[in-house]
Amino acid sequence: MRIPAEIHRFFDIGEGQTLLIKGLPGTGKTTLAFEILNEMCEKRNGMYISTRVDPDRLYRTFPWIKEIVPPRNVVNATQSKLLQTLRDISGGIPTYDTVLDFFRVLFEDVEDMESPIIVFDSWDALMNYVSPMIKERQSFEQNICEFARDMGIHIIFVSESADLMPLDYIVDGVVYMEHFRIAGTPSSALRDSGMRTRYAREIRLEKLRGVEILQRAFTATLHGGRFQCFTPCVEEVDVRIGGDHIRIPDPTEDCASTGIPQLDEITGGLKYGSCNVLEINHGVGKRYYHILTALASNALKNGRAVCIIPSIGYQLSPRDIFVPTNVRVVQPQGDDIVSWGKELLGIWDELRDRSGRPILNIIGMDAMEFAFGYRQLLNIANRLINQWKETNDINLLVVKTGQESINMAIHVADTYFVVNELNGGLCMYGVIPRTELYNMSFEGGSRICLTPIV
């Protein structure tokens, strides 16, 4: 989804809608304005009034907008150009009426277009340039919005101000763009390192007159030079392993695919004998199951056996598994972790013998910590890690934010990724290796896509 559905409905209400896009510099306001033009405007029916760039530079930055905003519809409104135009119109010293005439000419130029949209970028700069002539800015802005409504022309005002101002009350809609800092819940091992600090982009729907706002804030990205917002990730979990998952080949001979192409590009795959950690933060719920399902399904399709020690709440029965002979589900139980550990090692040996190659282990550390306690878990951890190194098994430890096992996991991890909830959706980032945020979306029920949040 490029822009929120609420913005679609806002412009569909009727002609002459006025929208204010606010936010600090660099938050993506111009890119959002162009994406709205692309979604809502007929070809060649957009006009861009720019106080910053000429057409050549505009098209170098946004080449895809040329079909919507042709060169003749880009107005250079830098201070020198604008003031010269106003002097030409007035034949002398520009006045309030001169400025109104300038805007009236702009509106008349697009009046005959089908559903035209004019973008003023930035409106603050325009108002600063003409402030000696208009004096009463609020009255002038009211007149501009009335022009737009009377002539049936949509207007998008782009403002660098994050503060409340009179224009907020005059226009029909207000959206706010923000680039903000996310600080993850730290473990004692990561508390002072800043390893969990990331930045996200957000669009917030402050006001859309006549439209019911079902969701007020959306995570957004400018990846590829285009604006895109992300819908909430619905908790529809299919934990069936195998099934219709598309096989993804291993990246190299000594690395296994994660089952997620973009994650393979980031990590290079999961190395044989590696310990990989997936931390699940508060609010994610069961939606992370998709990651485990993709990993296990792809391992099976690439000829590996899989052993799963389910996390608390991860319910998986033999009838859900596409290849039951190559999958074992083992529950942590009993009072003696050493005896249970010996049984587990035997199961791993059996699966390895059956498949003739290293196996994939998915281990719910929360379930093991709950069953045996953190100190007993530490006692067996070293033995398990040594076993992985000897047998080249690929291992994924699933930990939940807040549990003690995180303090051990971060020190043994070859890769460490965190899954967060953000505006109803899911995002992922790497601690080892360090990555920025990626939005997680699910396509076709089983395919996971990662999109950089930039």
Side-chain angles (χ1 to χ4, degrees):
M1 181 174 69
R2 286 292 176 184
I3 63 175
E6 286 87 346
I7 293 180
H8 270 279
R9 293 198 293 272
F10 171 77
F11 281 103
D12 285 339
I13 287 176
E15 297 178 337
Q17 295 286 80
T18 53
L19 179 70
L20 172 61
I21 301 176
K22 304 177 63 173
L24 295 176
T27 52
K29 303 180 297 297
T30 298
T31 312
L32 170 61
F34 284 154
E35 205 62 65
I36 294 173
L37 286 181
N38 188 58
E39 294 272 332
M40 305 303 304
C41 198
E42 297 291 333
K43 286 187 177 182
R44 312 185 74 79
N45 283 358
M47 177 173 280
Y48 182 59
I49 317 299
S50 174
T51 62
R52 292 179 277 211
V53 296
D54 58 30
D56 289 341
R57 188 173 179 185
L58 173 69
Y59 297 137
R60 286 197 301 270
T61 307
F62 303 97
W64 52 274
I65 200 63
K66 194 169 186 177
E67 286 191 353
I68 304 298
V69 185
R72 62 180 176 81
N73 286 4
V74 179
V75 177
N76 186 339
T78 54
Q79 187 171 16
S80 59
K81 291 281 188 182
L82 178 62
L83 294 179
Q84 183 58 52
T85 301
L86 293 175
R87 283 193 290 268
D88 291 343
I89 293 174
S90 65
I93 299 174
T95 63
Y96 182 92
D97 289 336
T98 306
V99 179
L100 278 183
D101 287 341
F102 169 76
F103 282 93
R104 191 179 290 112
V105 169
L106 290 178
F107 291 163
E108 289 173 353
D109 284 346
V110 300
E111 187 178 14
D112 294 333
M113 297 180 184
E114 184 72 26
S115 300
I117 300 179
I118 300 178
V119 176
F120 293 104
D121 186 9
S122 79
W123 182 249
D124 307 291
L126 278 171
M127 291 298 94
N128 286 337
Y129 298 161
V130 300
S131 57
M133 295 153 246
I134 63 172
K135 295 181 181 179
E136 286 291 332
R137 175 170 170 173
Q138 184 175 346
S139 173
F140 178 80
E141 290 173 336
Q142 184 74 52
N143 285 335
I144 294 299
C145 290
E146 288 176 1
F147 279 168
R149 294 181 187 116
D150 291 343
M151 301 179 75
I153 298 167
H154 297 315
I155 291 182
I156 297 175
F157 300 98
V158 177
S159 171
E160 304 288 350
S161 173
D163 299 327
L164 190 66
M165 52 190 183
L167 187 57
D168 290 63
Y169 300 98
I170 297 170
V171 295
D172 301 307
V174 179
V175 300
Y176 184 78
M177 289 293 298
E178 184 178 13
H179 203 210
F180 63 97
R181 179 175 177 267
I182 294 176
T185 305
S187 69
S188 60
L190 300 175
R191 182 166 288 120
D192 299 322
S193 65
M195 294 173 69
R196 292 171 177 265
T197 298
R198 298 294 185 275
Y199 290 87
R201 198 178 298 271
E202 180 180 84
I203 176 174
R204 200 162 61 240
L205 310 181
E206 301 287 358
K207 177 180 83 170
L208 294 173
R209 196 171 287 149
V211 174
E212 182 179 2
I213 300 177
L214 301 178
Q215 176 161 334
R216 194 160 292 277
F218 294 83
T219 305
T221 185
L222 303 185
H223 178 57
R226 299 288 298 270
F227 180 90
Q228 180 182 359
C229 68
F230 302 106
T231 54
C233 175
V234 184
E235 192 159 316
E236 295 180 1
V237 180
D238 180 2
V239 296
R240 287 177 296 175
I241 294 177
D244 59 353
H245 287 78
I246 299 173
R247 175 183 171 272
I248 300 171
D250 293 333
T252 63
E253 291 183 357
D254 59 351
C255 289
S257 171
T258 62
I260 305 171
Q262 292 97 332
L263 192 55
D264 286 347
E265 293 176 10
I266 297 167
T267 62
L270 306 181
K271 292 181 179 179
Y272 284 9
S274 64
C275 177
N276 307 280
V277 180
L278 184 68
E279 180 184 338
I280 310 303
N281 213 330
H282 306 297
V284 173
K286 299 178 180 180
R287 292 175 290 179
Y288 74 94
Y289 291 3
H290 289 283
I291 303 171
L292 307 186
T293 302
L295 175 61
S297 298
N298 203 64
L300 287 173
K301 289 181 180 289
N302 283 328
R304 288 187 184 83
V306 179
C307 181
I308 301 173
I309 302 172
S311 287
I312 294 172
Y314 186 79
Q315 297 176 342
L316 194 64
S317 65
R319 67 176 179 274
D320 294 318
I321 300 169
F322 185 65
V323 189
T325 57
N326 275 1
V327 178
R328 290 290 299 272
V329 179
V330 181
Q331 298 288 349
Q333 55 190 354
D335 299 324
D336 183 5
I337 194 172
V338 175
S339 299
W340 178 82
K342 289 179 180 178
E343 293 179 13
L344 179 63
L345 292 178
I347 292 171
W348 288 353
D349 290 339
E350 176 189 336
L351 289 172
R352 208 175 296 111
D353 291 341
R354 185 179 299 163
S355 62
R357 61 187 311 188
I359 65 173
L360 168 67
N361 298 310
I362 299 176
I363 301 173
M365 298 295 283
D366 56 335
M368 291 182 64
E369 186 177 314
F370 180 80
F372 303 115
Y374 178 55
R375 294 197 175 278
Q376 285 203 67
L377 187 57
L378 283 178
N379 291 335
I380 197 175
N382 188 56
R383 184 177 178 185
L384 295 179
I385 292 169
N386 288 336
Q387 174 81 2
W388 299 335
K389 299 298 182 184
E390 293 173 3
T391 60
N392 273 337
D393 291 342
I394 302 111
N395 308 279
L396 177 70
L397 308 185
V398 180
V399 297
K400 306 291 179 61
T401 299
Q403 70 174 102
E404 288 186 273
S405 300
I406 289 178
N407 297 318
M408 174 196 70
I410 188 63
H411 291 295
V412 300
D414 294 290
T415 68
Y416 194 113
F417 283 83
V418 181
V419 179
N420 272 10
E421 186 277 341
L422 191 60
N423 289 322
L426 294 185
C427 65
M428 173 189 283
Y429 65 88
V431 176
I432 305 173
R434 182 183 176 90
T435 74
E436 294 307 313
L437 284 173
Y438 289 82
N439 180 78
M440 293 178 58
S441 58
F442 307 107
E443 298 182 3
S446 59
R447 182 168 174 253
I448 299 175
C449 292
L450 301 180
T451 305
I453 299 175
V454 295

